[in-house]
């Protein structure tokens, strides 16, 4: 590209040259006469004045009128006042041409002019500006049109060759005010430069963009301020680098270069747009699109891309690649008990530990085993890891063990120390030659298998796991219609006083049967109910059925019996739990004191919101019990804050009493704690007389388990209960009387 020249620096002159004033006055005179003549000569059918200037001449005339409206028309040029012979027209116009021949005016007339026609053509640098043919019975109209055109040329010549306007920087050219107004209206910086590459002019936006006054920019090489790149110098737009201030500081810019048509010169305009904010916004959008905002790890979108690349590299190198799916154990309890803010802080610390354990500097690094490791967060408490360049599946197992070790240390979240464990599912490519989405699903299935085995486990994917996943999907579909089909029923397991062996209450347990046979065990289908949200309608059904059955037994002559119903965390979070319980009590007629709601201790750690909820339930007169005490997030402060009535010792502590000293100590401590807080204590899973004796000796109030009775159907429980009442009364069963 030849070095481009700069368009004139265009500050309008404070005082226009005399020739310019005369040209403008001539234009106004021509316009005035052109407007008067139709009225004077309209009856002659003269068509000359019906012709309009073309678009370019009209626009230029409008600009002149706008820019020079303050100049009085005091001196009409002779060209606007004279009648000219046809031979004078071309000469007059040709005399207005530039000295360098850039402006050329030509005129031709028919032989019988002025009665026939005249044609005028104006050229600027070889480009046709105006061409007009005029006809009429008189010469005056045509000459007036020629006068207007000549006035335009006079004005242009005067502006182009007159003295430079005040305020124009040295080395610049004076641009017409219209051009100056135009370039100053741009928000982008515009630098005009010539063949020598020196800046001739710039607008205020360019001065702001470069952080320098115009005086320090003009006359300097353009390349001092901006790098010329190929895409911009060939007529397009390209990203380049510019420099701002002194000393110059680089910043990204969009550069475009265009030739500016000028008579006898080569000029170019370089347009600069600052891309700093745009690039920052793009980086932020890219960060949001590809990275998890909470942990900074790659999100699902970026992870899928990296997984595809890892599969491709494994295919080329022949070295196995492992995909691991991690899910934190019981993380839901943290959200439910401590709140989502605490859960977020826990996730951030887990992400940091994963990165440190895998020696990844930017979530991707080389482990000391030689593998390339990628860690990502898919959402919630789910993390994924891609380990490349494995020697065997044993390498993946070693990485998983390292992760488990890193998470063994307690994590501090506010005032709480939380021990985190994770269940890990692994699938290995190409042993599992599936596409990326299927690999992810297989690792997920292996992770669920690890949870089923007791959590904090590592499991590899197999075809059997895939079959289990299919069965789970089928289970979910069947559960959605089980309530409508009446496939749920309640089983009843009694509780008894340890000292007197009298029945003190009963627990209602949910069962799912079809044609009298169990469809799935409670630990399987209840988990699916909670995950799908179906636990809400099913939970209300359990409350209603349990209350109605107790009332029905009372109406049949049996004494009141306190019934215990388990609540899930999802039920506790629903906004209308207190209303639901109140409606059930009112609809069934069950006294509130006869209903006991069992919650796990982790459900009590939901902060003030859960505290208020439990107080409202207690205000209804409902009894509250903590189930499986000692296995979750035990905290004495929660026992003190909430209106809890009963602690239930988990069966895992009772199972090995009285033979295991540690279980003996834990169980005795829980009983002592409850008695000191004036809480009733119930031991679960009592199966032997020795366990019963140990609990009685340590002050336990009630027990529940197979030693007393297995869970029974409603009909079987009623018969068993009546028999227990007869035995307790001392009367023969066949002659017993009922209260």
């Amino acid at each position: 590209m030849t070095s481009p020249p700069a368009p004139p620096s265009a500050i309008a002159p404070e005082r226009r040259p005399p020739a310019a004033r005369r040209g403008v006055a001539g234009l106004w005179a021509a316009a005035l006469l052109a407007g008067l003549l139709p009225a004077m000569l309209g009856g002659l059918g003269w068509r000359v004045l019906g012709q309009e200037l073309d678009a370019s001449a009209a626009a230029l005339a409008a600009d002149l009128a706008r820019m020079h409206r303050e100049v009085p028309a005091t001196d009409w040029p002779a060209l606007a006042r004279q009648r000219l012979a046809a031979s004078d027209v071309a000469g007059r116009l040709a005399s207005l041409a530039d000295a360098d021949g850039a402006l050329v005016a030509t005129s031709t007339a028919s032989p019988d002019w002025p009665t026939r026609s005249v044609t005028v053509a104006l050229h600027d640098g070889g480009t046709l500006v105006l061409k007009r043919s005029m006809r009429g019975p008189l010469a005056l109209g045509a000459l007036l049109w020629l006068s207007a055109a000549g006035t335009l040329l006079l004005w242009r010549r005067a502006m182009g060759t007159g003295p430079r306007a005040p305020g124009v920087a040295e080395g610049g050219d004076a641009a017409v005010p219209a051009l100056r107004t135009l370039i100053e209206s741009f928000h982008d910086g515009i630098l005009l430069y010539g063949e020598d590459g020196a800046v001739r002019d710039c607008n205020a936006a360019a001065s702001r963009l470069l952080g320098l006054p115009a005086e320090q920019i003009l006359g300097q090489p353009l390349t001092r301020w901006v790098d010329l790149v190929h895409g911009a110098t060939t007529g397009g737009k390209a990203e380049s680098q510019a420099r701002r201030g002194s000393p110059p500081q680089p910043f990204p810019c969009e550069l475009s270069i265009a030739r500016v048509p000028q008579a006898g010169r080569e000029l170019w305009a370089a347009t600069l747009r600052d891309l700093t904010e745009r690039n920052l916004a793009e980086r932020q959008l890219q960060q949001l699109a590809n990275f998890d905002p909470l942990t900074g790890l790659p999100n699902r979108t970026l992870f899928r891309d990296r997984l595809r690349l890892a599969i491709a590299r494994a295919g080329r190198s022949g070295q196995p690649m492992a995909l691991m799916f991690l899910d934190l154990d019981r993380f839901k309890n943290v959200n439910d008990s401590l709140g989502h803010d605490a859960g977020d802080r826990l996730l951030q610390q887990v992400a940091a530990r994963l990165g440190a354990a895998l020696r990844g500097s930017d979530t991707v690094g080389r482990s000391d085993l030689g593998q390339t490791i990628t860690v990502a967060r898919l959402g919630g408490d789910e993390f994924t890891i891609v380990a490349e360049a494995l020697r065997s599946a044993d390498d993946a197992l070693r990485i998983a063990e390292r992760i488990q070790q890193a998470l063994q240390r307690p994590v501090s979240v506010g005032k709480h120390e939380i021990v985190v464990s994770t269940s890990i599912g692994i699938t290995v490519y190409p042993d599992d030659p599936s596409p990326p989405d299927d690999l992810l699903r297989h690792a997920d299935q292996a992770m669920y298998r690890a949870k089923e085995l007791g959590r904090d486990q590592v499991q590899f994917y197999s075809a059997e796991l895939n079959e289990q996943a299919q069965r789970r999907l089928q289970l979910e579909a069947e559960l959605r219609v089980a309530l409508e089909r009446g496939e749920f029923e309640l089983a009843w397991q009694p509780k008894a006083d340890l000292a007197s062996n009298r029945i003190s209450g009963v627990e209602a347990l949910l069962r799912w049967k079809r044609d009298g046979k169990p469809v799935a065990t409670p630990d399987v289908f209840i988990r699916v109910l909670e995950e799908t949200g179906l636990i809400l309608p099913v939970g209300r059904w359990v409350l209603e059925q349990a209350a109605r059955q107790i009332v029905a037994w009372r109406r049949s002559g049996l004494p009141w019996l306190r019934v215990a119903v388990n609540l899930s965390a999802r039920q506790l979070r629903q906004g209308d739990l207190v209303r639901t319980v109140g409606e059930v009590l009112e609809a069934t007629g069950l006294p509130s004191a006869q209903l006991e709601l069992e919650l796990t201790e982790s459900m009590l750690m939901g902060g003030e919101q859960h505290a208020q909820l439990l107080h409202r339930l207690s205000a209804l007169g409902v009894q509250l019990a903590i189930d499986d005490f000692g296995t979750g997030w035990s905290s004495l402060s929660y026992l003190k804050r909430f209106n809890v009535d009963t602690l239930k010792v988990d069966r895992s502590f009772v199972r090995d009493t009285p033979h295991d000293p540690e279980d003996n100590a834990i169980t005795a401590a829980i009983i002592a704690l409850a008695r000191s807080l004036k809480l009733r204590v119930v031991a679960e899973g009592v199966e032997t007389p020795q366990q019963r004796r140990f609990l009685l000796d340590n002050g336990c109030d009630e027990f529940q388990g197979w030693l007393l009775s297995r869970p029974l159907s409603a009909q079987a429980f009623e018969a068993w209960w009546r028999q227990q009442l007869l035995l307790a009364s001392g009367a023969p069963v066949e002659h017993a009387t009922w209260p």
Side-chain angles (χ1 to χ4, degrees), residues 61-81:
D63 281 344
L64 285 172
R66 176 177 55 80
M67 291 185 289
H68 300 286
R69 61 169 54 95
E70 297 177 359
V71 179
T74 57
D75 183 18
W76 292 6
L79 187 63
R81 295 190 233 143

PDB file of all heavy atoms in Angstrom, residues 61-81:
ATOM      1  N   ALA A  61     -25.795  21.993  -2.267  1.00  0.00           N
ATOM      2  CA  ALA A  61     -26.458  23.281  -2.116  1.00  0.00           C
ATOM      3  C   ALA A  61     -27.060  23.426  -0.727  1.00  0.00           C
ATOM      4  O   ALA A  61     -26.988  24.490  -0.116  1.00  0.00           O
ATOM      5  CB  ALA A  61     -27.541  23.437  -3.186  1.00  0.00           C
ATOM      6  N   ALA A  62     -27.656  22.340  -0.204  1.00  0.00           N
ATOM      7  CA  ALA A  62     -28.234  22.390   1.144  1.00  0.00           C
ATOM      8  C   ALA A  62     -27.167  22.628   2.191  1.00  0.00           C
ATOM      9  O   ALA A  62     -27.366  23.384   3.142  1.00  0.00           O
ATOM     10  CB  ALA A  62     -28.991  21.088   1.426  1.00  0.00           C
ATOM     11  N   ASP A  63     -26.010  21.969   2.021  1.00  0.00           N
ATOM     12  CA  ASP A  63     -24.905  22.179   2.965  1.00  0.00           C
ATOM     13  C   ASP A  63     -24.459  23.633   2.952  1.00  0.00           C
ATOM     14  O   ASP A  63     -24.175  24.245   3.986  1.00  0.00           O
ATOM     15  CB  ASP A  63     -23.727  21.272   2.637  1.00  0.00           C
ATOM     16  CG  ASP A  63     -23.949  19.857   3.147  1.00  0.00           C
ATOM     17  OD1 ASP A  63     -24.843  19.676   3.981  1.00  0.00           O
ATOM     18  OD2 ASP A  63     -23.209  18.954   2.716  1.00  0.00           O
ATOM     19  N   LEU A  64     -24.351  24.204   1.714  1.00  0.00           N
ATOM     20  CA  LEU A  64     -23.930  25.601   1.602  1.00  0.00           C
ATOM     21  C   LEU A  64     -24.919  26.516   2.305  1.00  0.00           C
ATOM     22  O   LEU A  64     -24.526  27.413   3.063  1.00  0.00           O
ATOM     23  CB  LEU A  64     -23.803  25.987   0.130  1.00  0.00           C
ATOM     24  CG  LEU A  64     -22.572  25.456  -0.606  1.00  0.00           C
ATOM     25  CD1 LEU A  64     -22.692  25.743  -2.089  1.00  0.00           C
ATOM     26  CD2 LEU A  64     -21.323  26.073  -0.037  1.00  0.00           C
ATOM     27  N   ALA A  65     -26.190  26.280   2.062  1.00  0.00           N
ATOM     28  CA  ALA A  65     -27.203  27.126   2.682  1.00  0.00           C
ATOM     29  C   ALA A  65     -27.149  27.016   4.192  1.00  0.00           C
ATOM     30  O   ALA A  65     -27.287  28.003   4.910  1.00  0.00           O
ATOM     31  CB  ALA A  65     -28.588  26.747   2.167  1.00  0.00           C
ATOM     32  N   ARG A  66     -26.930  25.782   4.701  1.00  0.00           N
ATOM     33  CA  ARG A  66     -26.880  25.583   6.154  1.00  0.00           C
ATOM     34  C   ARG A  66     -25.654  26.218   6.765  1.00  0.00           C
ATOM     35  O   ARG A  66     -25.711  26.868   7.805  1.00  0.00           O
ATOM     36  CB  ARG A  66     -26.901  24.084   6.468  1.00  0.00           C
ATOM     37  CG  ARG A  66     -26.752  23.759   7.947  1.00  0.00           C
ATOM     38  CD  ARG A  66     -26.860  22.262   8.204  1.00  0.00           C
ATOM     39  NE  ARG A  66     -25.909  21.512   7.389  1.00  0.00           N
ATOM     40  CZ  ARG A  66     -24.608  21.394   7.718  1.00  0.00           C
ATOM     41  NH1 ARG A  66     -24.142  21.972   8.803  1.00  0.00           N
ATOM     42  NH2 ARG A  66     -23.793  20.703   6.944  1.00  0.00           N
ATOM     43  N   MET A  67     -24.487  26.005   6.128  1.00  0.00           N
ATOM     44  CA  MET A  67     -23.230  26.467   6.731  1.00  0.00           C
ATOM     45  C   MET A  67     -23.017  27.965   6.589  1.00  0.00           C
ATOM     46  O   MET A  67     -22.290  28.570   7.364  1.00  0.00           O
ATOM     47  CB  MET A  67     -22.058  25.713   6.122  1.00  0.00           C
ATOM     48  CG  MET A  67     -22.011  24.244   6.522  1.00  0.00           C
ATOM     49  SD  MET A  67     -20.554  23.425   5.922  1.00  0.00           S
ATOM     50  CE  MET A  67     -20.922  23.372   4.185  1.00  0.00           C
ATOM     51  N   HIS A  68     -23.663  28.566   5.598  1.00  0.00           N
ATOM     52  CA  HIS A  68     -23.389  29.981   5.325  1.00  0.00           C
ATOM     53  C   HIS A  68     -24.632  30.841   5.420  1.00  0.00           C
ATOM     54  O   HIS A  68     -24.698  31.903   4.817  1.00  0.00           O
ATOM     55  CB  HIS A  68     -22.768  30.124   3.924  1.00  0.00           C
ATOM     56  CG  HIS A  68     -21.489  29.369   3.791  1.00  0.00           C
ATOM     57  ND1 HIS A  68     -20.321  29.789   4.359  1.00  0.00           N
ATOM     58  CD2 HIS A  68     -21.211  28.202   3.177  1.00  0.00           C
ATOM     59  CE1 HIS A  68     -19.357  28.921   4.084  1.00  0.00           C
ATOM     60  NE2 HIS A  68     -19.876  27.946   3.380  1.00  0.00           N
ATOM     61  N   ARG A  69     -25.607  30.365   6.209  1.00  0.00           N
ATOM     62  CA  ARG A  69     -26.851  31.113   6.259  1.00  0.00           C
ATOM     63  C   ARG A  69     -26.671  32.483   6.922  1.00  0.00           C
ATOM     64  O   ARG A  69     -27.501  33.359   6.787  1.00  0.00           O
ATOM     65  CB  ARG A  69     -27.927  30.315   6.998  1.00  0.00           C
ATOM     66  CG  ARG A  69     -27.587  29.994   8.440  1.00  0.00           C
ATOM     67  CD  ARG A  69     -28.830  29.435   9.161  1.00  0.00           C
ATOM     68  NE  ARG A  69     -29.375  28.308   8.443  1.00  0.00           N
ATOM     69  CZ  ARG A  69     -29.083  27.042   8.732  1.00  0.00           C
ATOM     70  NH1 ARG A  69     -28.239  26.769   9.712  1.00  0.00           N
ATOM     71  NH2 ARG A  69     -29.618  26.062   8.039  1.00  0.00           N
ATOM     72  N   GLU A  70     -25.578  32.648   7.675  1.00  0.00           N
ATOM     73  CA  GLU A  70     -25.370  33.924   8.350  1.00  0.00           C
ATOM     74  C   GLU A  70     -24.695  34.964   7.454  1.00  0.00           C
ATOM     75  O   GLU A  70     -24.532  36.113   7.833  1.00  0.00           O
ATOM     76  CB  GLU A  70     -24.535  33.702   9.605  1.00  0.00           C
ATOM     77  CG  GLU A  70     -25.235  32.802  10.622  1.00  0.00           C
ATOM     78  CD  GLU A  70     -24.358  32.543  11.838  1.00  0.00           C
ATOM     79  OE1 GLU A  70     -23.230  33.062  11.836  1.00  0.00           O
ATOM     80  OE2 GLU A  70     -24.815  31.855  12.756  1.00  0.00           O
ATOM     81  N   VAL A  71     -24.239  34.564   6.255  1.00  0.00           N
ATOM     82  CA  VAL A  71     -23.547  35.508   5.364  1.00  0.00           C
ATOM     83  C   VAL A  71     -24.588  36.280   4.556  1.00  0.00           C
ATOM     84  O   VAL A  71     -25.382  35.675   3.826  1.00  0.00           O
ATOM     85  CB  VAL A  71     -22.585  34.758   4.419  1.00  0.00           C
ATOM     86  CG1 VAL A  71     -21.902  35.747   3.477  1.00  0.00           C
ATOM     87  CG2 VAL A  71     -21.578  33.989   5.235  1.00  0.00           C
ATOM     88  N   PRO A  72     -24.631  37.575   4.667  1.00  0.00           N
ATOM     89  CA  PRO A  72     -25.633  38.342   3.900  1.00  0.00           C
ATOM     90  C   PRO A  72     -25.323  38.342   2.417  1.00  0.00           C
ATOM     91  O   PRO A  72     -24.163  38.368   2.004  1.00  0.00           O
ATOM     92  CB  PRO A  72     -25.529  39.750   4.492  1.00  0.00           C
ATOM     93  CG  PRO A  72     -24.137  39.835   5.009  1.00  0.00           C
ATOM     94  CD  PRO A  72     -23.789  38.458   5.495  1.00  0.00           C
ATOM     95  N   ALA A  73     -26.364  38.267   1.599  1.00  0.00           N
ATOM     96  CA  ALA A  73     -26.188  38.297   0.144  1.00  0.00           C
ATOM     97  C   ALA A  73     -26.138  39.760  -0.309  1.00  0.00           C
ATOM     98  O   ALA A  73     -27.124  40.338  -0.744  1.00  0.00           O
ATOM     99  CB  ALA A  73     -27.315  37.562  -0.549  1.00  0.00           C
ATOM    100  N   THR A  74     -24.994  40.389  -0.154  1.00  0.00           N
ATOM    101  CA  THR A  74     -24.854  41.823  -0.461  1.00  0.00           C
ATOM    102  C   THR A  74     -24.211  42.084  -1.810  1.00  0.00           C
ATOM    103  O   THR A  74     -24.365  43.168  -2.372  1.00  0.00           O
ATOM    104  CB  THR A  74     -24.016  42.496   0.634  1.00  0.00           C
ATOM    105  OG1 THR A  74     -22.759  41.828   0.710  1.00  0.00           O
ATOM    106  CG2 THR A  74     -24.717  42.394   1.984  1.00  0.00           C
ATOM    107  N   ASP A  75     -23.444  41.104  -2.322  1.00  0.00           N
ATOM    108  CA  ASP A  75     -22.711  41.357  -3.562  1.00  0.00           C
ATOM    109  C   ASP A  75     -22.950  40.218  -4.526  1.00  0.00           C
ATOM    110  O   ASP A  75     -22.279  39.199  -4.467  1.00  0.00           O
ATOM    111  CB  ASP A  75     -21.221  41.507  -3.256  1.00  0.00           C
ATOM    112  CG  ASP A  75     -20.445  41.856  -4.526  1.00  0.00           C
ATOM    113  OD1 ASP A  75     -21.081  42.293  -5.495  1.00  0.00           O
ATOM    114  OD2 ASP A  75     -19.207  41.657  -4.523  1.00  0.00           O
ATOM    115  N   TRP A  76     -23.968  40.354  -5.403  1.00  0.00           N
ATOM    116  CA  TRP A  76     -24.239  39.293  -6.350  1.00  0.00           C
ATOM    117  C   TRP A  76     -23.183  39.314  -7.432  1.00  0.00           C
ATOM    118  O   TRP A  76     -22.890  40.369  -8.008  1.00  0.00           O
ATOM    119  CB  TRP A  76     -25.608  39.487  -6.991  1.00  0.00           C
ATOM    120  CG  TRP A  76     -26.734  39.296  -6.013  1.00  0.00           C
ATOM    121  CD1 TRP A  76     -26.666  39.105  -4.694  1.00  0.00           C
ATOM    122  CD2 TRP A  76     -28.107  39.317  -6.373  1.00  0.00           C
ATOM    123  NE1 TRP A  76     -27.886  38.975  -4.145  1.00  0.00           N
ATOM    124  CE2 TRP A  76     -28.830  39.100  -5.168  1.00  0.00           C
ATOM    125  CE3 TRP A  76     -28.819  39.494  -7.565  1.00  0.00           C
ATOM    126  CZ2 TRP A  76     -30.213  39.059  -5.117  1.00  0.00           C
ATOM    127  CZ3 TRP A  76     -30.195  39.440  -7.516  1.00  0.00           C
ATOM    128  CH2 TRP A  76     -30.894  39.212  -6.301  1.00  0.00           C
ATOM    129  N   PRO A  77     -22.637  38.164  -7.727  1.00  0.00           N
ATOM    130  CA  PRO A  77     -21.632  38.157  -8.797  1.00  0.00           C
ATOM    131  C   PRO A  77     -22.259  38.471 -10.150  1.00  0.00           C
ATOM    132  O   PRO A  77     -23.445  38.268 -10.374  1.00  0.00           O
ATOM    133  CB  PRO A  77     -21.088  36.725  -8.752  1.00  0.00           C
ATOM    134  CG  PRO A  77     -22.180  35.950  -8.121  1.00  0.00           C
ATOM    135  CD  PRO A  77     -22.854  36.858  -7.137  1.00  0.00           C
ATOM    136  N   ALA A  78     -21.405  38.960 -11.027  1.00  0.00           N
ATOM    137  CA  ALA A  78     -21.900  39.365 -12.341  1.00  0.00           C
ATOM    138  C   ALA A  78     -22.508  38.200 -13.095  1.00  0.00           C
ATOM    139  O   ALA A  78     -23.423  38.386 -13.902  1.00  0.00           O
ATOM    140  CB  ALA A  78     -20.746  39.974 -13.158  1.00  0.00           C
ATOM    141  N   LEU A  79     -22.033  36.983 -12.798  1.00  0.00           N
ATOM    142  CA  LEU A  79     -22.554  35.817 -13.503  1.00  0.00           C
ATOM    143  C   LEU A  79     -24.040  35.617 -13.245  1.00  0.00           C
ATOM    144  O   LEU A  79     -24.755  35.090 -14.082  1.00  0.00           O
ATOM    145  CB  LEU A  79     -21.783  34.565 -13.080  1.00  0.00           C
ATOM    146  CG  LEU A  79     -22.099  33.278 -13.847  1.00  0.00           C
ATOM    147  CD1 LEU A  79     -21.714  33.439 -15.313  1.00  0.00           C
ATOM    148  CD2 LEU A  79     -21.361  32.099 -13.221  1.00  0.00           C
ATOM    149  N   ALA A  80     -24.522  36.072 -12.092  1.00  0.00           N
ATOM    150  CA  ALA A  80     -25.931  35.908 -11.761  1.00  0.00           C
ATOM    151  C   ALA A  80     -26.792  37.043 -12.296  1.00  0.00           C
ATOM    152  O   ALA A  80     -28.003  36.963 -12.256  1.00  0.00           O
ATOM    153  CB  ALA A  80     -26.105  35.812 -10.257  1.00  0.00           C
ATOM    154  N   ARG A  81     -26.157  38.148 -12.754  1.00  0.00           N
ATOM    155  CA  ARG A  81     -26.936  39.301 -13.176  1.00  0.00           C
ATOM    156  C   ARG A  81     -26.941  39.514 -14.698  1.00  0.00           C
ATOM    157  O   ARG A  81     -27.694  40.302 -15.209  1.00  0.00           O
ATOM    158  CB  ARG A  81     -26.381  40.568 -12.522  1.00  0.00           C
ATOM    159  CG  ARG A  81     -26.533  40.589 -11.016  1.00  0.00           C
ATOM    160  CD  ARG A  81     -26.190  41.964 -10.466  1.00  0.00           C
ATOM    161  NE  ARG A  81     -25.190  41.848  -9.403  1.00  0.00           N
ATOM    162  CZ  ARG A  81     -24.215  42.704  -9.200  1.00  0.00           C
ATOM    163  NH1 ARG A  81     -24.081  43.714 -10.005  1.00  0.00           N
ATOM    164  NH2 ARG A  81     -23.387  42.536  -8.223  1.00  0.00           N
TER     165      ARG A  81
END
